[in-house]
Amino acid sequence: MLDVVDLEKYYARGTVDETHLFKNFNLTVPEGQFLTIIGSNGSGKTSLLNAICGDIPLDGGRVILDSEDISKKKNFERYATIGRVFQDPAAGTCPSMTIMENLSIAENKGRRFDLKRGVNQSRGDYYRSLLEPLGLGLENKLNVKVDSLSGGQRQALALLVSTMAPLKLLILDEHTAALDPKTQQITMDLTGKLVEEKDLTTVMVTHNLRHALKYGDRLIMLHEGDIILDKEGPEKQALVLEDVINMFNEISIEYGN
């Protein structure tokens, strides 16, 4: 379970450009829930993810993961049990290493290192079995360096890499935004499959409203650091695209955009 409690976040505090984004913000994500987050630019989506992962300092409040207060932990400490896939396909893998080396490192995340070989060649068949269902031909490129792959191939690999070790939380940070429509769908299908199979507590930020409605069992909309829509279960399933678009339009009119 993820609990964000009384979150406070300022930007440019004490200057004429001061922004008080989060004011006693609270959010609970139960274990196993797949939460999708939407909102206009500046609504706080990425700031919320960065606050959870420790990539920005908090001005108040706490982040609690599985009953442990992780608010004071460094980001690298949090990432021991949090997986994150970024918008940039180059951000989630080691480009100078091969696919097999990336998968091997991911599989051994959190384990002690010694003087043994870093890559267990006997795991090749297992890695191929993970890659083949993607339909991207990666199963035949285990010894190819990641920087030679397409953006879609790298993002699919990043998603696998982020979920190979046991996780308490999976963060998806607009992870399909840089992909073409076909590869977006492949990546989202893989996302849905992995989240369901591994029963992952997941928080996904997306600008794709169709994906937000189709995937996950709960949807929230942020605006200026506040939750202005929160639907789950049957209520989320009853949402239609036009209703959500109308909400965005109403906000834009209200704030003069």
Side-chain angles (χ1 to χ4, degrees), residues 19-241:
T19 300
H20 191 182
L21 179 60
F22 291 115
K23 309 174 186 70
N24 296 113
F25 178 90
N26 290 274
L27 175 67
T28 295
V29 184
E31 184 175 354
Q33 185 173 82
F34 186 172
L35 170 68
T36 59
I37 302 177
I38 59 175
S40 57
N41 291 334
S43 61
K45 303 185 302 299
T46 298
S47 291
L48 176 59
L49 299 188
N50 287 337
I52 292 169
C53 295
D55 291 332
I56 58 173
L58 307 183
D59 295 305
R62 296 177 295 155
V63 177
I64 301 171
L65 186 58
D66 284 359
S67 301
E68 179 187 3
D69 189 340
I70 62 173
S71 307
K72 302 299 183 183
K73 284 190 172 185
K74 302 293 186 182
N75 58 355
F76 69 88
E77 295 174 310
R78 302 189 199 191
Y79 281 125
T81 55
I82 296 176
R84 186 170 183 176
V85 185
F86 296 86
Q87 179 177 338
D88 182 1
T93 52
C94 299
S96 63
M97 303 179 75
T98 68
I99 291 177
M100 188 165 188
E101 288 169 338
N102 272 268
L103 292 172
S104 181
I105 290 173
E107 187 177 22
N108 290 282
K109 177 181 177 181
R111 298 179 184 176
R112 294 180 61 87
F113 287 92
D114 52 29
L115 297 179
K116 295 179 181 178
R117 292 177 63 86
V119 176
N120 186 347
Q121 295 293 331
S122 67
R123 299 293 285 168
D125 288 341
Y126 171 64
Y127 296 152
R128 276 187 282 271
S129 72
L130 296 178
L131 296 167
E132 187 174 7
L134 302 182
L136 298 173
L138 296 178
E139 68 276 9
N140 300 317
K141 298 182 177 182
L142 284 181
N143 295 313
V144 171
K145 288 188 176 181
V146 171
D147 60 6
S148 69
L149 303 178
S150 70
Q153 289 174 324
R154 291 181 73 163
Q155 198 66 310
L157 180 62
L159 187 55
L160 280 178
V161 162
S162 69
T163 58
M164 289 191 70
L167 294 177
K168 292 181 179 179
L169 180 66
L170 175 63
I171 298 288
L172 303 172
D173 189 358
E174 298 185 46
H175 69 307
T176 65
L179 307 178
D180 63 80
K182 179 180 178 181
T183 314
Q184 280 188 11
Q185 192 56 58
I186 291 172
T187 304
M188 283 308 308
D189 288 343
L190 175 61
T191 299
K193 178 182 178 182
L194 288 173
V195 169
E196 182 177 0
E197 288 181 350
K198 296 176 179 287
D199 194 26
L200 295 172
T201 306
T202 303
V203 177
M204 180 178 78
V205 163
T206 180
H207 279 295
N208 190 313
L209 298 183
R210 296 184 186 277
H211 289 167
L213 293 175
K214 179 178 179 181
Y215 296 91
D217 41 38
R218 181 182 176 193
L219 170 70
I220 67 173
M221 181 186 291
L222 292 181
H223 181 65
E224 296 189 338
D226 289 322
I227 297 174
I228 61 171
L229 175 72
D230 189 345
K231 301 290 185 180
E232 62 180 296
E235 288 189 338
K236 176 183 182 294
Q237 299 303 318
L239 288 172
V240 296
L241 184 61

